[in-house]
Amino acid sequence: MKYISTRGQVAPTGFIDAILMGLADDGGLLVPEQLPQLSEETLKQWQQLSYQELALEVFSLFVNNEIPRADLKKLVDDSYSTFRHEDVTPVHQINEGLYVLELFHGPTFAFKDVALQFLGNLYSYISRKNNSIIHILGATSGDTGASAIEGVRGKEGIRICILHPHQKVSKVQELQMTTVSDTNVLNLSVEGTFDDCQRIIKELFADVDFKHQYHLRAINSINIARILAQTVYYFYAYFQLANKGQAEKISFSVPTGNFGDIFAGYLAQQMGLPIHKLILATNENNILARFVNEGLYQPGDFRGTYSPSMDIQVASNFERYLFYLYGGDAATVTSLMAQFKAEGRIVIPEQLLKRVQADFSAYSVDNEDCLNTIQEYHEKYGYLLDPHTACGVAASDKLAADGEVTVALSTAHPAKFDESIRLRNISQTYPEQIQALFDKPQNQIVVDGTNEEIKKQLLTFF
Ligand SMILES: *Cc1c(COP(=O)(O)O)cnc(C)c1O
């Protein structure tokens, strides 16, 4: 298995090089050269596997024999031993037609742990193999930073620096990042917005000498390892339902920001998992829902919502889907992305829009609807949804037909977004691991949002 760029200007590369490259050198995104096709028989065999066994089988298809199976098994086992639930990602039945896939049982109570626990161990493995130190640099609006830090704290051969906008992340998110005392972690709290943090990172990565000298690596969701790790729970959830005798028409509803999580579902489906429908749920930042419903990809005005991890206007994984939509035609993808850069929009022809609508249904959930859904499910079923999960559930309520079964992906534990949940007078008890954060000392450095300042901090830290 080799990896190629959506823009076609990178020589096919192996698995480890693809992980290290992050963003493709031609500005595109890396994708597997061909997708493995799973037979019904293989799917049957996989149906009884534990999460860890299944993850090992899925990764084996993608690592290109670059990691011996015993090493890969250890990477997988180490990555998921930190989860608090024995099923890693259990499904919880809400009613006849709806299940919630709980992806929040990892160390930071958000679904990003599923991929970043693995990526952290993988980076550490690569660092040992190559005998070189890996420096990870990233910006976060909350969940990614906490999850990435948990993935690598205390690990040999890795240093991580995360930028977050000062006092613009939730209290729990801030504590998760800043109460870590390992010396390989640096938190910079930047005076400015998330966009400022993102821009600084982009510019530092664009400084090729600096990037190469310090072996700078990225952790954002354009890394193909994150997508591959996320395909596993679609298989696992499907099998859990099939094992309960629920074999008919299973759909997935996915709260979406950067198009990463739902793209993983699309890959699982393309590999042969018979997913009925993929429901794409957005909040009021609904560029992706408008794309699916109208064929126009064009950012709107930024809206603040109760689901801040989905407050995204330009979805960084969208280009991967375009590549598949255009049958792997890298030249067309390149010109569409150039057009997007110049004109700020992409329009697709009618017959391709039909394809898109066969691949996805989409719905955008407004702020009021999000809180109503949290309240309704709490009152009716005694189940507390976080605001991101509530968007997925609301979309499923709108789009699933009678008699269909939907699995709504739950991307965060409600305790992470208590500020929003309290608006409906719902009180919750924090899990002890979150409660304990409030008593720990914080380590963060508040800095100006300039490239020079960040570079100065990095040079001291590296
Ligand atoms: C990151 C995140 C999302 C969006 O995931 P994408 O892969 O960007 O679509 C949804 N919910 C939560 C809680 C997240 O942290």
Side-chain angles (χ1 to χ4, degrees):
M1 173 77 65
K2 294 275 181 190
Y3 293 81
I4 54 174
S5 167
T6 50
R7 302 201 189 166
Q9 300 299 311
V10 173
T13 168
F15 176 73
I16 289 179
D17 286 337
I19 301 312
L20 292 177
M21 198 181 293
L23 188 71
D25 288 342
D26 61 1
L29 299 179
L30 296 164
V31 290
E33 194 167 30
Q34 314 102 16
L35 283 180
Q37 296 299 308
L38 303 167
S39 65
E40 254 179 69
E41 207 181 314
T42 305
L43 292 174
K44 260 244 127 58
Q45 283 166 2
W46 283 9
Q47 196 165 319
Q48 306 303 330
L49 299 182
S50 69
Y51 189 94
Q52 288 85 343
E53 290 167 338
L54 187 59
L56 178 60
E57 294 307 323
V58 172
F59 283 124
S60 297
L61 299 171
F62 290 100
V63 301
N64 204 17
N65 294 323
E66 292 172 37
I67 302 176
R69 192 170 166 96
D71 292 357
L72 188 60
K73 180 172 184 321
K74 182 161 169 16
L75 282 177
V76 167
D77 289 347
D78 288 350
S79 301
Y80 299 110
S81 68
T82 55
F83 279 62
R84 294 176 301 276
H85 198 287
E86 61 172 350
D87 288 340
V88 182
T89 63
V91 287
H92 176 93
Q93 183 163 21
I94 302 288
N95 60 33
E96 223 169 60
L98 182 71
Y99 291 78
V100 170
L101 172 56
E102 296 181 342
L103 301 173
F104 54 69
H105 293 285
T108 72
F109 293 80
F111 92 104
K112 292 189 168 71
D113 291 333
V114 177
L116 286 168
Q117 284 289 302
F118 181 75
L119 186 58
N121 284 316
L122 184 60
Y123 271 146
S124 176
Y125 177 84
I126 295 171
S127 150
R128 280 196 303 276
K129 280 242 137 149
N130 294 356
N131 207 4
S132 75
I133 295 201
I134 287 178
H135 293 115
I136 300 173
L137 182 59
T140 187
S141 58
D143 283 342
T144 303
S147 190
I149 288 170
E150 270 309 317
V152 304
R153 60 186 277 184
K155 293 211 163 95
E156 227 177 285
I158 303 187
R159 295 193 190 120
I160 185 167
C161 170
I162 296 290
L163 274 51
H164 72 265
H166 187 52
Q167 292 180 339
K168 291 194 182 73
V169 298
S170 87
K171 190 67 202 169
V172 170
Q173 288 173 328
E174 178 185 307
L175 289 171
Q176 283 180 327
M177 289 188 275
T178 59
T179 56
V180 170
S181 55
D182 301 79
T183 52
N184 70 332
V185 176
L186 176 67
N187 275 295
L188 297 178
S189 186
V190 176
E191 299 280 10
T193 63
F194 171 62
D195 287 333
D196 294 326
C197 298
Q198 186 101 306
R199 178 185 44 76
I200 295 168
I201 299 286
K202 252 193 163 153
E203 288 172 8
L204 291 181
F205 272 100
D207 182 344
V208 176
D209 292 338
F210 187 68
K211 177 179 166 185
H212 286 162
Q213 187 182 353
Y214 290 101
H215 304 281
L216 285 191
R217 305 298 177 194
I219 38 99
N220 47 9
S221 70
I222 49 142
N223 199 302
I224 187 69
R226 286 185 58 177
I227 306 286
L228 299 177
Q230 288 169 205
T231 62
V232 176
Y233 49 70
Y234 285 90
F235 287 100
Y236 191 60
Y238 193 96
F239 296 148
Q240 286 180 81
L241 262 59
N243 287 335
K244 286 184 210 265
Q246 191 69 261
E248 295 300 308
K249 296 201 171 166
I250 298 171
S251 301
F252 285 84
S253 183
V254 189
T256 308
N258 265 322
F259 206 79
D261 203 2
I262 194 160
F263 184 72
Y266 173 78
L267 286 190
Q269 189 184 45
Q270 297 299 307
M271 286 161 68
L273 186 68
I275 295 173
H276 177 55
K277 260 197 261 183
L278 282 167
I279 298 173
L280 181 156
T282 68
N283 62 25
E284 295 188 8
N285 297 287
N286 61 0
I287 178 170
L288 290 167
R290 284 185 286 115
F291 170 72
V292 171
N293 292 322
E294 298 159 25
L296 168 69
Y297 184 76
Q298 180 174 34
D301 292 332
F302 179 88
R303 310 286 281 260
T305 73
Y306 302 121
S307 46
S309 301
M310 293 154 58
D311 286 349
I312 287 167
Q313 287 291 336
V314 178
S316 53
N317 274 288
F318 180 67
E319 182 170 340
R320 286 200 166 103
Y321 176 62
L322 272 186
F323 181 77
Y324 286 89
L325 182 63
Y326 280 86
D329 178 356
T332 302
V333 172
T334 306
S335 74
L336 286 171
M337 294 313 292
Q339 183 197 340
F340 182 67
K341 198 167 174 195
E343 298 164 23
R345 67 207 301 257
I346 293 175
V347 187
I348 58 163
E350 191 64 33
Q351 105 254 20
L352 279 183
L353 180 57
K354 289 213 173 77
R355 260 289 302 283
V356 174
Q357 293 175 347
D359 290 337
F360 303 101
S361 316
Y363 186 72
S364 87
V365 179
D366 68 29
N367 285 345
E368 207 43 32
D369 206 3
C370 172
L371 293 186
N372 288 345
T373 305
I374 292 174
Q375 188 168 5
E376 182 194 335
Y377 276 77
H378 186 249
E379 283 168 6
K380 255 197 192 157
Y381 304 106
Y383 190 87
L384 190 55
L385 303 165
D386 103 283
H388 304 77
T389 309
C391 290
V393 168
S396 153
D397 280 348
K398 272 279 175 314
L399 299 179
D402 283 347
E404 290 180 3
V405 171
T406 308
V407 178
L409 270 54
S410 178
T411 50
H413 189 287
K416 287 198 95 165
F417 298 97
D418 190 48
E419 290 94 335
S420 305
I421 288 170
R422 255 187 282 150
L423 294 174
R424 288 299 167 96
N425 295 318
I426 298 171
S427 58
Q428 59 178 319
T429 329
Y430 284 164
E432 57 182 296
Q433 296 89 336
I434 289 188
Q435 190 56 48
L437 295 172
F438 288 86
D439 301 325
K440 292 187 181 167
Q442 286 185 255
N443 300 299
Q444 65 178 335
I445 303 172
V446 182
V447 293
D448 286 339
T450 62
N451 295 12
E452 298 68 47
E453 177 63 26
I454 304 297
K455 218 165 163 174
K456 200 179 94 197
Q457 293 287 344
L458 284 176
L459 290 176
T460 319
F461 176 57
F462 292 166

